[in-house]
Amino acid sequence: MLELAILGFLAEGALPGHELRRRVSHLTGYTRPVSDGSLYPAINRLAKAGLLERRADPQSGGARYVLSLTEAGRTEMLDRLRKPADHEITDHTRFHTVLSFLSLLPDAAERHAVLRRRLLFLEEPASFFYDGDRPVRAEEVADPYRRGMMLTARATSRAERAWIREELGEAPPENP
C-alpha cells in the first residue's frame, strides 16, 4: 500500500521527498507510521522500475529532490486501483488507501466494481470471535470491552455499506 500511496500522491503533482513522506504519514495514521527505512527504499524501487523520476530541487539545492510520476507510473497506479488484491479490499486501512485515490480512475464503472467488491466483503457474516465456525454476535459477549469493540465495528460497517450503496446508486436492503 505504501507504493500505491506514493504513486497516488505523485499523480496529483510532483512533490519533494519530505512532503511526500508527510502526506503518506497523514494518510496511514499513527497506527502504521511511515519510516524513512520503508519510504525511501520504496521510492528507489519505483524509480528503478521507471514508475517515477527524481530530479534535483533547484530551490533547495542538490541535497533535496522532487519526485514526479512517469506515464508508466500512472499506468501502474491505475492498474492497482482497477484490480486491488483481496487483502487490499478486506483490510480497512489498506482499503482506505485504495479509496483515497479511487477518483483518479476515469471510468465510473471501474470505480464501482471496486466498491462492489468491498460491499460483498462487508456483507459476509464475520466476527472477531467465533464459536467453532459460527461468528459470535456482540449481544452474546459478556466482556464489555470485546462487546464495545464489536458494536463499534458493526456501526462502522453499517455506515460504510450505506455510503457505498449511495455511491453506487443502490437502495438499501429491506432488512439490514
Side-chain angles (χ1 to χ4, degrees), residues 99-174:
L99 199 57
S100 295
F101 303 107
L102 199 58
S103 65
L104 297 174
L105 278 177
D107 184 4
E110 291 176 330
R111 293 189 302 267
H112 287 184
V114 173
L115 293 178
R116 280 191 183 87
R117 282 182 63 200
R118 176 70 175 178
L119 185 58
L120 283 172
F121 163 71
L122 292 172
E123 290 177 337
E124 286 294 315
S127 180
F128 295 106
F129 308 103
Y130 287 81
D131 181 7
D133 289 339
R134 185 183 65 80
V136 175
R137 297 178 45 84
E139 294 75 15
E140 301 172 272
V141 175
D143 183 310
Y145 306 106
R146 284 186 175 192
R147 188 174 54 253
M149 179 179 85
M150 294 169 76
L151 290 171
T152 302
R154 180 190 299 164
T156 301
S157 178
R158 279 185 181 152
E160 186 176 357
R161 290 189 317 254
W163 173 79
I164 290 173
R165 285 188 190 99
E166 179 182 315
E167 190 64 25
L168 294 173
E170 297 176 0
E174 294 292 320

Side-chain angles (χ1 to χ4, degrees), residues 2-137:
L2 176 59
E3 289 182 357
L4 178 58
I6 291 168
L7 295 171
F9 281 122
L10 293 179
E12 296 172 348
L15 292 169
H18 67 280
E19 177 60 20
L20 177 62
R21 181 179 192 273
R22 186 183 72 78
R23 290 183 188 193
V24 170
S25 292
H26 286 176
L27 177 63
T28 59
Y30 68 92
T31 59
R32 296 187 184 185
V34 178
S35 69
D36 289 346
S38 59
L39 179 67
Y40 292 103
I43 289 171
N44 290 334
R45 281 192 307 276
L46 293 169
K48 187 175 181 179
L51 303 179
L52 60 86
E53 57 188 24
R54 204 183 318 202
R55 64 184 187 290
D57 184 357
Q59 298 174 352
S60 300
R64 295 201 180 227
Y65 53 89
V66 173
L67 302 163
S68 58
L69 202 58
T70 64
E71 266 315 301
R74 181 171 303 284
T75 299
E76 175 70 16
M77 179 210 51
L78 293 173
D79 286 346
R80 288 181 184 205
L81 290 171
R82 281 182 189 104
K83 300 172 201 140
D86 288 342
H87 69 277
E88 294 167 348
I89 294 293
T90 60
D91 180 276
H92 184 75
T93 302
R94 289 176 190 265
F95 184 70
H96 276 184
T97 301
V98 171
L99 199 57
S100 295
F101 303 107
L102 199 58
S103 65
L104 297 174
L105 278 177
D107 184 4
E110 291 176 330
R111 293 189 302 267
H112 287 184
V114 173
L115 293 178
R116 280 191 183 87
R117 282 182 63 200
R118 176 70 175 178
L119 185 58
L120 283 172
F121 163 71
L122 292 172
E123 290 177 337
E124 286 294 315
S127 180
F128 295 106
F129 308 103
Y130 287 81
D131 181 7
D133 289 339
R134 185 183 65 80
V136 175
R137 297 178 45 84

